[in-house]
Amino acid sequence: MLRKDINELLTQTGPGTPMGELFRQYWIPAMLAEELPENDSPPVRVKLLSERMLAFRDSEGRYGLIDEFCAHRGASLWFGRNEQAGLRCPYHGWKYDYTGQCIEVPSEADNSSFCQNVKLTAYPLVKIGDLLWTYMGDPAKQPPLPEFEFVHVPAEQTYTSKRWQQCNWMQAFEGGIDSSHVTFLHSGGLKTDPLFKGAKGNEYNMKDTKPFFEVADSEGGLFVGARRNAEEGTYYWRITPWVMPAFTMVPPRGDHPVHGHFWVPIDDENCWTYSFDYHPVRALTETERQAMIDGHGVHSKNIPGTYRPAANMDNDYLIDREAQKRGETYSGVAGIAMQDASLQESMGPIVDRSKERLVPADSGIIKARQKLRKAAVALRDEGVTPPGVDPEHHRVRSAAVVLPQAESFLDSCRDAVRATPGVPQSSV
Amino acid sequence: MAGTDMRAPSAYPSECARATAPGESRFRIDVPIRPARNARVIGLDERATAIAQRVAHRSWAKATFYTCQAASDAGTGDARIVLHRLDGRPVLLGEVLTGTDVVVVLATEDAGRQWAAAIGRLCGADGITTAGIVLGEDFEADDAVAALRPYARVLLLSADESDVTELLTALRV
């Protein structure tokens, strides 16, 4: 249960809101690099944190993320011409560079300085890995660039996709730290998904459907440990890290690549779910990469030319009741990503958390909400930099291990949950 | 009329799109949800009991608070262990657990290890969900964690006392 005012605080991320200002302390994914594949490629509309912007890559390869609308009369620069190191509004020819600076107003005299006083709001846009990242906060407080492992391993070891999710970011994010739903909702995928199946850990997952949980603070967020019975005298632990505000990882299975998500608010009723897979020490195989492209694992099969899943609310997620009866899927919806999204979207655009009936197994979610709220309030009232801004906090991994029953997962897995280049993931 | 779609025309493309449209939230049943949990909160040690006393001053629907300080074992089974209410009145553990469906145990050290085990055993036998909140820094209460691990369905390891209130509030106790 969450009071309505706290629910509003956590779910509203527009300019000037506490959570919106919190998000503006971090580098966040703005888009996939593939969306701007070459110099002078068509500009792309980008909406983040309830701000409408336009991304483009100029003739010299510089990335710009600027206000979508021309300063002249408010026409969308999406119709603009990306040419000669700038974006020109097709209405009256005003031209802007990648910093949002107006560099030409054709109606003014040749030696006019008018355009020097016209500058659109702009944010940095930086390519790291397969993503273009932006920082939408105070330029004077811009933190160092992100150091999440999935964007720093060689290109052949990583793959990232994205999908539009039609609900508030918190609904999607909370699924990322909710380890207890896997045994039910994704039980079919544990047996059949090419990026999940075959791991010894799956057997523990399926045999023990009532895991115990331990939730512990980390410097950047939380570690959530889910414990199941393994062989005599041992526990199988699945450890999920959360780095504030919106980065989560799924514990690995066997030698499959490690996966996770970044949950980024578009506005208060929509978000982007970035889904990644990477292997710390080897290239992804062709089979693995194709499976990701085909929407297996944490990825989705999208409508060609878009980032909207092919199975979506407009077609009832292509639910297959016969497959549900046969036990191929638990909910009738195919694919792990859409199994999650279908239920999270079914809650409505912004779920009313004052009506929840939480149970102790939801402690990770309860604690994450508390940390987000406290960080947003501390930032608003005292200017405190929140956890997760420091790139040191990004160097985490998920892990899956079998430990003697007496051992603490926190003590035994300090190395396993730290991203160390050249060291494989800890997985069962 | 082979090939003719006989379904009724709809302004909406699907059940799901219609059901999750923002306007549909107006039609959700709005009956207030009564508190669902009949909780017992037990401080295992001195500091944990002090925390329980601070939290107990808030308004709770069904939560009641106890301490294991000065607990005693009558030696006739876990149900006969004597705890105390926060006002000092003794009460048998078996009575404490009667009618409850969740027990939240608070610990800051391992002094209450034996009582944690007894509470855990009895809760396990009676089908009562147990949660443990272990409060400490980095992590000074390791022994308390080890003591609670076999019994608590959820362990929250925290340096933040407000987690107790947050958890109890979220559980609607």
Side-chain angles (χ1 to χ4, degrees):
Chain A
M1 194 273 276
L2 205 60
R3 286 195 339 238
K4 284 183 187 291
D5 60 319
I6 298 176
N7 198 32
E8 289 174 2
L9 184 146
L10 294 175
T11 54
Q12 295 175 358
T13 58
T17 62
M19 190 56 61
E21 293 309 302
L22 185 84
F23 263 97
R24 286 167 174 80
Q25 305 300 302
Y26 301 88
W27 286 94
I28 56 174
M31 58 200 302
L32 292 174
E34 68 180 25
E35 296 179 70
L36 293 174
E38 57 191 16
N39 296 353
D40 288 336
S41 54
V44 176
R45 282 189 171 108
V46 174
K47 188 179 182 190
L48 292 174
L49 309 180
S50 299
E51 292 186 50
R52 287 180 59 173
M53 299 167 285
L54 201 71
F56 69 105
R57 180 171 165 181
D58 75 8
S59 311
E60 297 172 29
R62 295 172 299 194
Y63 293 103
L65 184 63
I66 64 175
D67 186 339
E68 180 186 337
F69 301 99
C70 181
H72 179 208
R73 296 197 37 209
S76 173
L77 292 168
W78 184 79
F79 294 96
R81 297 170 59 85
N82 191 0
E83 57 184 22
Q84 296 170 315
L87 193 64
R88 187 184 295 279
C89 178
Y91 207 1
H92 303 93
W94 290 35
K95 186 175 179 181
Y96 301 89
D97 73 9
Y98 75 103
T99 70
Q101 179 65 53
C102 184
I103 54 177
E104 198 179 326
V105 177
S107 62
E108 294 293 299
D110 285 347
N111 57 353
S112 168
S113 61
F114 172 71
C115 67
Q116 293 171 17
N117 298 316
V118 179
K119 189 174 190 302
L120 297 176
T121 295
Y123 302 112
L125 191 63
V126 178
K127 182 179 183 303
I128 307 173
D130 292 337
L131 290 170
L132 298 179
W133 300 74
T134 190
Y135 167 77
M136 295 170 64
D138 179 354
K141 295 181 179 175
Q142 182 175 307
L145 293 169
E147 296 196 9
F148 298 100
E149 190 174 33
F150 79 102
V151 287
H152 282 286
V153 295
E156 64 272 20
Q157 293 175 212
T158 189
Y159 175 84
T160 304
S161 66
K162 80 171 189 180
R163 61 180 161 83
W164 171 29
Q165 188 154 339
Q166 293 175 261
C167 66
N168 182 265
W169 80 279
M170 279 288 291
Q171 276 156 249
F173 153 69
E174 288 178 349
I177 53 171
D178 170 17
S179 202
S180 60
H181 76 279
V182 176
T183 305
F184 298 95
L185 184 60
H186 304 317
S187 55
L190 295 184
K191 291 177 277 190
T192 60
D193 191 286
L195 297 167
F196 277 62
K197 67 180 182 181
K200 173 71 175 171
N202 295 351
E203 296 174 20
Y204 304 130
N205 245 118
M206 300 307 295
K207 278 183 187 166
D208 186 351
T209 59
K210 292 198 169 188
F212 283 55
F213 293 96
E214 291 189 20
V215 181
D217 280 306
S218 67
E219 288 185 327
L222 288 178
F223 287 119
V224 180
R227 185 188 94 200
R228 291 175 171 84
N229 291 316
E231 284 75 23
E232 184 69 28
T234 61
Y235 291 134
Y236 169 61
W237 286 92
R238 295 181 58 75
I239 304 163
T240 300
W242 168 50
V243 179
M244 287 178 63
F247 174 85
T248 58
M249 289 185 71
V250 181
R253 297 178 187 281
D255 191 45
H256 289 307
V258 192
H259 29 245
H261 301 93
F262 228 117
W263 319 89
V264 182
I266 297 173
D267 54 32
D268 293 346
E269 298 185 352
N270 297 274
C271 66
W272 289 120
T273 298
Y274 289 88
S275 304
F276 61 82
D277 257 290
Y278 74 100
H279 200 291
V281 297
R282 67 162 172 83
L284 304 179
T285 66
E286 283 303 311
T287 305
E288 287 170 340
R289 191 174 291 275
Q290 191 59 51
M292 294 166 198
I293 293 168
D294 291 342
H296 294 292
V298 294
H299 305 279
S300 57
K301 187 75 173 173
N302 294 337
I303 296 170
T306 78
Y307 295 100
R308 191 179 198 208
N312 58 58
M313 66 166 62
D314 288 344
N315 53 29
D316 290 332
Y317 306 93
L318 304 174
I319 193 166
D320 182 344
R321 297 292 188 187
E322 292 304 314
Q324 186 179 29
K325 275 186 185 173
R326 291 192 299 270
E328 293 169 16
T329 57
Y330 198 76
S331 72
V333 173
I336 286 159
M338 297 320 300
Q339 287 160 3
D340 285 327
S342 57
L343 295 179
Q344 291 157 2
E345 292 177 355
S346 78
M347 299 171 181
I350 306 176
V351 69
D352 180 357
R353 292 179 171 80
S354 70
K355 294 180 176 174
E356 295 171 329
R357 288 175 184 259
L358 296 185
V359 294
D362 295 314
S363 290
I365 290 171
I366 296 167
K367 180 68 179 173
R369 292 174 182 175
Q370 180 213 40
K371 288 189 74 112
L372 284 168
R373 175 177 58 80
K374 284 194 166 186
V377 170
L379 173 68
R380 181 192 65 192
D381 295 347
E382 301 165 49
V384 177
T385 300
V389 169
D390 184 345
E392 178 66 27
H393 299 168
H394 304 169
R395 300 187 195 119
V396 296
R397 274 186 196 163
S398 55
V401 295
V402 173
L403 298 175
Q405 287 185 347
E407 287 190 17
S408 153
F409 86 86
L410 282 177
D411 291 338
S412 300
C413 296
R414 287 190 197 283
D415 291 337
V417 297
R418 181 171 178 76
T420 305
V423 175
Q425 71 271 37
S426 296
S427 183
V428 178
Chain B
M1 299 278 290
T4 301
D5 187 345
M6 299 299 287
R7 289 173 298 182
S10 170
Y12 299 94
S14 74
E15 280 284 317
C16 290
R18 182 168 62 247
T20 55
E24 278 300 304
S25 62
R26 288 182 293 135
F27 302 107
R28 291 194 174 200
I29 293 171
D30 203 21
V31 177
I33 297 172
R34 287 173 298 172
R37 290 284 186 180
N38 194 4
R40 306 289 182 260
V41 183
I42 304 173
L44 285 184
D45 54 64
E46 184 178 351
R47 276 194 293 165
T49 297
I51 292 167
Q53 284 171 325
R54 287 192 285 277
V55 174
H57 282 121
R58 291 172 169 262
S59 175
W60 303 105
K62 290 188 175 180
T64 49
F65 295 78
Y66 304 88
T67 176
C68 285
Q69 277 188 280
S72 56
D73 188 348
T76 52
D78 294 330
R80 303 289 297 170
I81 288 172
V82 181
L83 308 185
H84 292 84
R85 300 176 196 273
L86 294 184
D87 62 9
R89 285 179 293 154
V91 58
L92 293 175
L93 178 57
E95 290 177 27
V96 168
L97 299 186
T98 300
T100 189
D101 54 12
V102 64
V103 169
V104 178
V105 178
L106 311 180
T108 66
E109 49 167 309
D110 74 337
R113 173 188 289 263
Q114 71 178 109
W115 311 123
I119 294 165
R121 281 193 300 269
L122 203 52
C123 287
D126 291 350
I128 299 168
T129 300
T130 51
I133 302 179
V134 183
L135 292 146
E137 296 274 1
D138 247 356
F139 198 75
E140 60 190 273
D142 279 352
D143 290 338
V145 173
L148 288 173
R149 178 169 290 126
Y151 309 106
R153 174 65 59 182
V154 171
L155 268 181
L156 186 55
L157 320 180
S158 176
D160 190 342
E161 182 180 319
S162 69
D163 278 330
V164 181
T165 304
E166 295 278 346
L167 180 67
L168 297 178
T169 302
L171 296 180
R172 295 176 175 274
V173 301

